[in-house]
């Protein structure tokens, strides 16, 4: 156990020294592989084996689709529609931010893309209207959590890859919890608006304006419906749905909005390749370090502690939540999923949980790390857009974190929140 503690201390030391996450994982793994008397060849084997999967092809597809979406001005259409639909409510652009994230999550599945694209548009707009920076950042970072939960989700793809549970069921299992979190976050936006005594002009609601905006945004709004329908009815696999998103995004950008140009394609591919490389290197680094921990029986010890010492489903869920929230303060959700997904599945099976039910809840909890300092990627991106120190965003972000925890508790008490839709679609 002391060796395991030393591993995590070394890993944290590299992170705080400013090393990229994938480098910190890889260097830590190599140090302890060599210290354990193993060949460096093992590093290469584990790195390649961690990313050598057809299922993971969905990641570059959805990353590319996300970049096409931003260039094709689909995000603009979504924001316009959301503004017409909910911009009149007290909270104005805060509600628009949350609803846009819910729709955007149904297209590309990346919280980072959500925080960058929607935050890049709405944080400056919210500041211009008179909203405080910390309020705008909290809404953006909190609602960016919806993209890894609402299908298609890159986080769900990773979890399904490591546990071999059906990706389609994981996708559908995240839809209802994602909508619940979104609605609760809109409630938080309303309360914060009142508590801060804002009196900011809002969009006037008009059925005619909603219908007109909906018609002009129809091509963008159809995109998530096409992707999810294709998966639900078995027309495409979740991996193929990423290709479908790319094809539709290209069609929309070249034919409908005509905002996409051929000269944009090289830069889109380069940006997508860089993002994909970072994700894949993180997975590869996590695979190396995870192998070291497996040799030390760390995952087995966690599993034995949960089953034999705690021995109670409620205590186990609370224990895992605490562990993942603490780890999430320092590690990217991708790393946590790579290192603990199989262990989580085993613990869930031992207590008789439905694999999809337990998996979706744990993926949601693992995502909390993305909006918690000091290494929260969604929070970091949102603060970067607003030029706001991260520590100033923590307090206003707490209610949004609470919505995620409440949704997790509800899903645990009422499993049908997660399992109803997958069972309805897949039987």
């Amino acid at each position: 156990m002391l060796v395991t503690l030393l591993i995590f201390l070394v890993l944290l030391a590299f992170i705080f020294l400013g090393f990229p996450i994938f480098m910190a994982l890889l260097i830590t793994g190599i140090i302890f592989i060599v210290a354990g008397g193993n060949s460096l060849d093992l590093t290469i084997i584990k790195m390649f084996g961690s990313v050598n999967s057809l299922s993971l092809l969905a990641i570059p597809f959805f990353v590319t689709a996300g970049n096409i979406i931003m260039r094709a001005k689909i995000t603009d259409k979504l924001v316009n529609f959301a503004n017409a639909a909910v911009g009149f409510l007290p909270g104005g652009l805060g509600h628009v931010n949350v609803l846009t994230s819910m729709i955007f999550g149904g297209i590309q599945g990346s919280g980072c893309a959500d925080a960058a694209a929607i935050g890049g548009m709405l944080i400056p707009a919210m500041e211009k209207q008179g909203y405080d920076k910390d309020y705008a950042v909290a809404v953006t970072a909190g609602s960016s959590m919806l993209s890894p939960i609402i299908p298609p989700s890159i986080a769900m793809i990773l979890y399904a890859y490591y546990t071999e549970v059906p990706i389609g069921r994981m996708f559908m299992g995240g839809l209802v919890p994602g909508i619940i979190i979104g609605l609760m976050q809109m409630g938080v936006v309303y309360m914060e608006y009142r508590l801060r005594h804002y009196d900011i002009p809002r969009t006037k609601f008009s059925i005619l304006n909603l219908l007109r905006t909906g018609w002009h945004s129809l091509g963008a709004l159809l995109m998530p419906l096409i992707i999810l329908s294709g998966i639900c009815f078995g027309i495409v696999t979740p991996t193929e749905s990423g290709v479908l998103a790319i094809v539709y995004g290209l069609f929309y950008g070249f034919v409908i909005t005509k905002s996409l140009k051929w000269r944009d394609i090289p830069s889109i591919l380069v940006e997508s390749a860089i993002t994909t490389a970072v994700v894949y290197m993180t997975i590869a680094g996590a695979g190396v370090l995870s192998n070291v921990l497996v040799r030390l029986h760390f995952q087995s010890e966690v599993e034995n502690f949960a089953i034999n010492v705690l021995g109670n489903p409620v205590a186990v869920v609370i224990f895992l939540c605490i562990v993942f929230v603490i780890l999430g303060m320092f590690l990217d959700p991708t790393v946590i999923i790579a290192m603990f997904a199989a262990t989580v599945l085993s613990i869930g099976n031992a207590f008789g949980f439905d694999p999809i039910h337990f998996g979706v809840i744990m993926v949601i909890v693992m995502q909390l790390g993305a909006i918690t300092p000091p290494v929260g990627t969604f929070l970091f991106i949102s603060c970067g857009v607003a030029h706001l120190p991260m520590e100033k965003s923590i307090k206003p972000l707490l209610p949004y974190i609470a919505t995620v925890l409440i949704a997790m508790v509800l899903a645990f008490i009422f499993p049908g929140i997660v399992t109803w839709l997958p069972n309805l679609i897949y039987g």
Side-chain angles (χ1 to χ4, degrees):
M1 199 65 185
L2 287 175
V3 177
T4 303
L5 180 60
L6 181 60
I7 289 173
F8 281 104
L9 289 175
V10 171
L11 176 61
L12 292 177
F14 281 122
I15 292 172
F16 284 117
L17 284 171
F19 282 73
I21 295 291
F22 72 88
M23 286 295 292
L25 291 165
L26 192 57
I27 295 171
T28 304
I30 291 173
I31 289 171
F32 285 93
I33 282 176
V34 173
N38 298 296
S39 170
L40 275 176
D41 292 346
L42 181 63
T43 304
I44 307 300
I45 293 169
K46 290 301 173 184
M47 286 181 68
F48 182 75
S50 297
V51 296
N52 185 27
S53 168
L54 183 64
S55 300
L56 294 182
L57 275 177
I59 294 174
F61 292 151
F62 281 116
V63 168
T64 304
N67 286 328
I68 291 172
I69 286 164
M70 286 186 275
R71 295 291 183 90
K73 306 297 183 183
I74 291 178
T75 314
D76 298 12
K77 298 291 186 182
L78 297 179
V79 169
N80 291 338
F81 174 76
N83 192 35
V86 297
F88 68 96
L89 296 171
L93 287 180
H95 293 296
V96 173
N97 200 322
V98 175
L99 181 57
T100 305
S101 289
M102 292 171 71
I103 303 171
F104 196 65
I107 297 175
Q108 48 76 46
S110 167
C112 291
D114 187 307
I118 297 174
M121 288 183 61
L122 289 181
I123 289 178
M126 292 177 75
E127 285 185 61
K128 188 176 180 180
Q129 282 198 2
Y131 293 95
D132 296 319
K133 277 188 179 184
D134 61 339
Y135 177 84
V137 166
V139 175
T140 303
S143 62
S144 64
M145 274 280 298
L146 298 170
S147 283
I149 299 172
I150 292 176
S153 160
I154 291 175
M156 299 293 186
I157 292 170
L158 287 172
Y159 184 87
Y161 165 63
Y162 286 110
T163 59
E164 297 183 350
V165 298
I167 298 178
R169 283 184 174 271
M170 286 293 295
F171 275 1
M172 294 302 109
L175 183 57
V176 176
I179 292 172
I180 291 173
I181 293 171
L183 293 175
M184 285 195 292
Q185 289 189 347
M186 292 180 75
V188 171
V189 168
Y190 174 84
M191 288 188 291
E192 280 286 311
Y193 183 88
R194 293 302 188 197
L195 289 172
R196 290 177 183 243
H197 305 291
Y198 285 134
D199 186 20
I200 296 172
R202 305 187 299 270
T203 303
K204 290 185 177 180
F205 180 74
S206 163
I207 289 289
L208 184 62
N209 182 46
L210 179 61
L211 293 174
R212 182 168 56 248
T213 310
W215 174 253
H216 290 154
S217 308
L218 185 62
L221 295 172
L222 282 175
M223 192 171 185
L225 293 177
I226 290 171
I227 294 169
L228 295 180
S229 299
I231 296 170
C232 289
F233 297 111
I235 300 171
V236 293
T237 66
T239 301
E240 292 167 348
S241 69
V243 180
L244 182 62
I246 290 174
V247 172
Y248 187 85
L250 290 172
F251 172 78
Y252 188 88
F254 279 119
V255 178
I256 298 178
T257 65
K258 295 183 173 61
S259 57
L260 199 62
K261 308 298 179 186
W262 284 109
R263 64 176 177 270
D264 295 327
I265 299 301
S267 61
I268 288 172
L269 293 177
V270 170
E271 289 171 14
S272 302
I274 292 170
T275 303
T276 302
V278 171
V279 175
Y280 270 47
M281 284 300 295
T282 302
I283 295 171
V288 173
L289 187 58
S290 182
N291 180 260
V292 173
L293 294 173
V294 167
R295 290 171 181 273
L296 294 171
H297 308 292
F298 172 67
Q299 286 92 338
S300 300
E301 288 181 8
V302 172
E303 185 178 334
N304 289 333
F305 176 79
I307 296 171
N308 299 323
V309 178
L310 296 177
N312 179 282
V314 176
V316 166
V317 171
I318 294 173
F319 166 71
L320 290 176
C321 288
I322 292 172
V323 169
F324 293 144
V325 169
I326 293 173
L327 288 176
M329 293 178 179
F330 307 101
L331 299 176
D332 190 81
T334 302
V335 179
I336 300 174
I337 293 172
M339 292 172 64
F340 290 99
T343 304
V344 164
L345 178 68
S346 181
I347 292 172
N349 289 340
F351 284 98
F353 285 104
D354 179 274
I356 303 301
H357 175 221
F358 200 64
V360 169
I361 291 174
M362 289 297 107
V363 168
I364 291 173
V365 175
M366 290 172 183
Q367 292 303 305
L368 276 175
I371 57 173
T372 54
V375 191
T377 48
F378 306 167
L379 180 58
F380 181 79
I381 292 170
S382 302
C383 288
V385 172
H387 305 291
L388 181 75
M390 189 177 286
E391 61 271 14
K392 291 187 177 181
S393 67
I394 297 171
K395 185 179 178 181
L397 189 60
L398 292 177
Y400 295 92
I401 295 174
T403 63
V404 179
L405 294 174
I406 292 169
M408 186 214 70
V409 171
L410 290 173
F412 177 71
I413 298 172
F414 305 105
I417 290 175
V418 173
T419 59
W420 170 73
L421 192 57
N423 290 340
L424 178 68
I425 294 172
Y426 297 104

